[in-house]
Amino acid sequence: MENAENTEEENPTVSNESTDNGAETATEEQHMDFSTEIMSVTEMEQSPDSSPDLNEENTQESEIPNIESLQTTDIDASFPPDFDKFWKVVEDNPQDFTGWVYLLQYVEQENHLPAARKAFDRFFTHYPYCYGYWKKYADLEKRHDNVKQSDEVYRRGLQAIPLSVDLWIHYINFLKETLDPADPETNSTIRGAYEHAVLAAGTDFRSDRLWEMYINWENEQGNLREVTSIYDRILGIPTQLYSHHFQRFKEHIQNNLPRDLLTTEQFVQLRRELASVNGHSGEDAQPGDDLPSGTEDITDPAKLITEIENMRHRIIEIHQEMFNHNEHEVSKRWTFEEAYAKYMENHSIEGVRHVYSRACTIHLPKKPMVHMLWAAFEEQQGNIDEARRILKTFEECILGLAMIRLRRVSLERRHGNMEEAEHLLEDAVRNAKSISESSFYAIKLARHLFKVQKNLPKARKVLSEAIEIDKENTKLYLNLLEMEYSGDLKQNEENILSCFDKAVNGALAIKMRITFSQRKVEFLEDFGSDVNKLLDAYDEHQALLKEQDSLKRRAENGSEEPDEKKMLTDDPTLASAQMMDGDMQVNQAAYNYNAWYQYNYQNAWNYGQYYHPT
């Protein structure tokens, strides 16, 4: 769903020939007073002093009509031929979001307004937070010259998601396009829309575009005092682009006269403040001497320039203090927009729980990270059973997510329930949907048994059984080797050699078998206790090299596909083997110890040359 909320794709091409016979003409439509209806929703707070007054009489007139009142007289007309087919899909399974997408796309392409209204209205009963589809619906009404209905659709959307900055921006742009510029009420309506928008969504961490849009619009109207007033508000709100706003505010102050930026009261107060400061500074001029205390102009050009610069400096200085405080708040809330509940933790534990509960049950029921954060929060509060319930319930709803199963395992491990953690991993291995998934969980189980429970024999058994099932999985061999190397090399020599033999004699690609064979020779050279085993390993290695040469010659003759083309090169261990191709060409006579090599079991193997090239 979260992706759907950002749906802004281009609308499909529609036919200009299709029209709605019952639609009202543009000349009959009039915009309702914006301030009469939007703020009636419970999510919004009380209207600010600067917002237009709410009028109960107009409220009655601007009630959002129900579906029936939006439908035109041809509602009973035949729907497009494939409408029933798409409709049945979502009727049978309203949770099928893809089905809704196909249905809405179809009615848009058909440009059939009654069908579109039916589809969109039913869609929003299930998915009211998809702001992009509210815009599509409004655009569809507008294309049919139903400006009033388009306005009503936007209002319904804003009632559903008043915090959507994007939907507010779309609605305000719609007002600018459709309102009559010659109407004296137009600017008041647009300003009222901006005010309600910043009241509803202006404290959002990413609301900067909305504020910028408001400031630019007031600038276009030449309302510099209104611009200053807006900056007074935004500079006190922690948003993502808080620093950008302050920079633009300073440009606003420097590029305009203080008299034009401030209200009369503010201008007079600032003039008196500066005069008072000059008087206390020991200068010859006393407060009020040769300087007006009201709004009178200063006739002396030098004094006028001085006053203007002093005023600008003081205005910026005052707002610098606001900026510094806001910057501190932003630093504390920087992760706020990623997790609102994290911010709430310092204020109300129950409030956090309510936020998570609402997000996981209503807004984002299928988003794993939110459920994981909720479970982590409950774990922090000591509610371990609740954390278990949250993760288990989500996993039952969305099957097959490794991150959820592993989080359940780590939860049990942190609280000492090792048997339950082991059981969860064993269950994941048994019920895996594929061999590769089973191997993934087998590695996790083996590492848990070895690293946490210190049970090497059991961990070895898990990986050995996994290798029998997934013989071509290089990671299984590597993890088994890593565990075996972690013990006493002298006492564990037989187990290490056994692991090498499984890889060398198994079903891996020839280059990987050669790599493991070389590794076996190096191990016996450095740590082995029997020279006979070293010589046998060396002979085995030469046999593999000859086998590789034979395969290459057969491939060159066209009798067989080169073995390397069969390999999955996205595996880093396989890629490393390809890079080591030159190192595998050996002279059977002697080793070359001039090049250093090292053991690094977690990274791709990349040793130097150990043999003279042929």
Side-chain angles (χ1 to χ4, degrees):
M1 265 303 302
E2 62 269 17
N3 292 336
E5 292 180 17
N6 294 325
T7 304
E8 282 298 309
E9 63 268 26
E10 292 293 327
N11 289 324
T13 303
V14 298
S15 172
N16 293 328
E17 298 177 0
S18 299
T19 59
D20 178 18
N21 295 331
E24 295 179 328
T25 61
T27 58
E28 296 173 332
E29 298 166 348
Q30 295 179 350
H31 281 283
M32 296 173 286
D33 180 8
F34 179 83
S35 63
T36 61
E37 191 276 325
I38 287 295
M39 294 307 292
S40 63
V41 294
T42 56
E43 290 88 343
M44 297 188 182
E45 301 177 7
Q46 188 175 1
S47 178
D49 294 338
S50 57
S51 301
D53 295 333
L54 299 183
N55 188 317
E56 294 184 359
E57 295 180 359
N58 291 334
T59 302
Q60 185 67 25
E61 298 176 0
S62 62
E63 283 291 329
I64 297 299
N66 57 25
I67 296 174
E68 288 76 11
S69 66
L70 287 177
Q71 293 170 339
T72 56
T73 56
D74 61 348
I75 184 63
D76 295 329
S78 298
F79 280 0
D82 291 332
F83 179 84
D84 289 339
K85 179 183 71 174
F86 289 107
W87 179 261
K88 188 177 186 304
V89 173
V90 298
E91 186 83 347
D92 294 342
N93 182 15
Q95 302 303 317
D96 182 1
F97 188 80
T98 302
W100 284 108
V101 171
Y102 287 139
L103 171 63
L104 298 179
Q105 184 179 31
Y106 175 70
V107 295
E108 281 189 285
Q109 290 173 341
E110 293 297 317
N111 201 28
H112 192 285
L113 190 56
R117 285 173 173 169
K118 180 177 180 179
F120 276 105
D121 287 332
R122 181 65 65 85
F123 170 76
F124 288 125
T125 64
H126 298 285
Y127 301 99
Y129 304 116
C130 298
Y131 82 88
Y133 284 97
W134 284 108
K135 182 180 185 299
K136 284 176 175 290
Y137 191 4
D139 287 344
L140 185 63
E141 292 284 4
K142 183 182 174 185
R143 287 200 300 271
H144 284 266
D145 293 330
N146 298 331
V147 179
K148 181 178 180 180
Q149 281 82 355
S150 181
D151 182 271
E152 289 168 345
V153 169
Y154 271 119
R155 292 168 180 266
R156 291 171 58 196
L158 292 171
Q159 283 186 340
I161 41 175
L163 297 179
S164 174
V165 172
D166 296 275
L167 191 56
W168 279 108
I169 290 176
H170 290 315
Y171 178 58
I172 293 171
N173 284 331
F174 164 79
L175 292 178
K176 292 178 180 179
E177 294 172 3
T178 57
L179 290 177
D180 183 4
D183 188 340
E185 297 298 323
T186 293
N187 281 358
S188 177
T189 301
I190 295 177
R191 182 173 292 110
Y194 273 121
E195 281 298 318
H196 284 92
V198 297
L199 174 66
T203 57
D204 186 271
F205 190 70
R206 297 183 182 273
S207 62
D208 304 280
R209 288 186 300 131
L210 180 60
W211 288 102
E212 286 276 300
M213 187 176 169
Y214 191 6
I215 290 170
N216 292 338
W217 181 78
E218 290 289 7
N219 259 321
E220 291 170 2
Q221 311 307 311
N223 300 326
L224 298 181
R225 293 186 179 89
E226 292 293 337
V227 172
T228 305
S229 176
I230 298 171
Y231 275 122
D232 285 340
R233 296 156 67 185
I234 183 59
L235 292 179
I237 299 176
T239 64
Q240 187 179 34
L241 302 182
Y242 71 99
S243 181
H244 171 72
H245 295 312
F246 185 57
Q247 183 61 39
R248 287 203 60 191
F249 169 74
K250 290 190 289 186
E251 295 172 0
H252 170 66
I253 298 301
Q254 294 292 348
N255 295 335
N256 298 283
L257 295 175
R259 183 186 296 275
D260 299 330
L261 299 170
L262 306 174
T263 64
T264 301
E265 294 77 9
Q266 291 173 332
F267 180 80
V268 172
Q269 181 181 357
L270 183 58
R271 171 174 274 181
R272 290 175 178 174
E273 177 187 339
L274 292 176
S276 176
V277 170
N278 290 335
H280 286 292
S281 65
E283 297 178 9
D284 294 336
Q286 296 300 315
D289 287 354
D290 299 329
L291 293 175
S293 59
T295 59
E296 302 88 347
D297 292 331
I298 297 178
T299 56
D300 188 330
K303 291 182 179 180
L304 176 60
I305 293 175
T306 299
E307 182 189 58
I308 291 173
E309 291 304 317
N310 288 341
M311 282 187 169
R312 285 172 173 166
H313 176 77
R314 180 56 181 156
I315 293 171
I316 293 176
E317 184 180 49
I318 293 171
H319 288 80
Q320 179 72 53
E321 297 175 4
M322 295 173 57
F323 171 78
N324 292 341
H325 176 73
N326 194 37
E327 186 173 44
H328 179 64
E329 293 300 314
V330 169
S331 67
K332 293 192 299 183
R333 295 177 173 86
W334 192 255
T335 58
F336 170 75
E337 52 93 26
E338 299 293 340
Y340 174 67
K342 188 68 176 177
Y343 164 72
M344 287 289 293
E345 287 181 12
N346 296 326
H347 301 273
S348 170
I349 297 301
E350 286 303 318
V352 178
R353 186 168 288 119
H354 174 73
V355 170
Y356 277 130
S357 176
R358 184 174 176 83
C360 292
T361 58
I362 299 177
H363 302 294
L364 303 168
K366 297 183 180 180
K367 188 171 183 179
M369 283 305 302
V370 178
H371 290 76
M372 292 171 68
L373 287 171
W374 186 13
F377 166 76
E378 295 295 354
E379 184 180 359
Q380 285 179 320
Q381 307 308 312
N383 300 327
I384 310 304
D385 289 339
E386 178 65 5
R388 290 191 182 104
R389 183 198 67 80
I390 293 167
L391 293 174
K392 183 179 179 181
T393 301
F394 183 76
E395 189 175 37
E396 291 172 350
C397 177
I398 308 294
L399 301 176
L401 286 182
M403 65 170 63
I404 299 297
R405 177 53 61 101
L406 296 180
R407 178 59 63 89
R408 292 182 65 190
V409 171
S410 64
L411 173 65
E412 300 300 341
R413 176 185 54 77
R414 283 192 294 271
H415 296 280
N417 300 322
M418 303 307 171
E419 291 184 1
E420 179 62 20
E422 180 181 347
H423 170 73
L424 287 170
L425 288 171
E426 289 175 342
D427 179 74
V429 173
R430 285 193 303 269
N431 298 315
K433 296 179 180 179
S434 64
I435 294 177
S436 60
E437 182 181 339
S438 177
S439 298
F440 169 81
Y441 283 116
I443 292 172
K444 294 293 184 181
L445 175 58
R447 292 178 68 84
H448 170 79
L449 292 170
F450 177 59
K451 298 289 187 180
V452 179
Q453 298 190 19
K454 309 298 182 184
N455 192 336
L456 177 57
K458 198 169 184 179
R460 182 187 298 124
K461 182 174 182 292
V462 168
L463 287 179
S464 297
E465 291 176 351
I467 289 173
E468 290 301 316
I469 298 173
D470 192 4
K471 291 181 170 56
E472 298 182 8
N473 192 322
T474 309
K475 294 183 177 66
L476 292 172
Y477 296 97
L478 291 175
N479 276 273
L480 181 57
L481 266 177
E482 180 187 354
M483 288 193 304
E484 301 294 5
Y485 264 89
S486 298
D488 186 305
L489 295 181
K490 185 174 182 181
Q491 295 181 1
N492 210 29
E493 180 177 337
E494 291 303 319
N495 288 322
I496 295 173
L497 292 177
S498 174
C499 182
F500 278 126
D501 290 340
K502 287 180 180 179
V504 172
N505 301 319
L508 295 175
I510 184 64
K511 284 193 173 183
M512 283 311 303
R513 292 168 60 202
I514 289 174
T515 302
F516 277 105
S517 174
Q518 177 181 321
R519 191 80 172 274
K520 179 181 178 181
V521 172
E522 294 163 1
F523 169 78
L524 289 169
E525 185 70 34
D526 292 344
F527 307 109
S529 58
D530 188 343
V531 67
N532 293 313
K533 292 180 179 179
L534 172 62
L535 295 176
D536 289 342
Y538 176 74
D539 291 340
E540 182 182 59
H541 187 69
Q542 305 310 308
L544 285 173
L545 292 174
K546 291 179 180 179
E547 180 182 347
Q548 183 186 44
D549 290 339
S550 175
L551 290 173
K552 284 185 176 181
R553 284 194 295 270
R554 290 167 61 186
E556 291 171 356
N557 295 332
S559 59
E560 184 173 325
E561 183 182 4
D563 186 71
E564 55 266 24
K565 290 187 179 180
K566 304 177 185 178
M567 298 165 56
L568 299 176
T569 56
D570 56 343
D571 189 324
T573 53
L574 301 183
S576 68
Q578 291 177 335
M579 290 187 296
M580 294 168 59
D581 184 40
D583 300 340
M584 299 305 162
Q585 308 303 319
V586 300
N587 186 316
Q588 299 184 19
Y591 289 94
N592 176 9
Y593 292 106
N594 293 332
W596 290 91
Y597 59 88
Q598 61 182 3
Y599 296 102
N600 188 347
Y601 308 122
Q602 296 181 354
N603 298 327
W605 302 339
N606 187 12
Y607 308 102
Q609 288 185 349
Y610 308 112
Y611 310 102
H612 286 297
T614 303

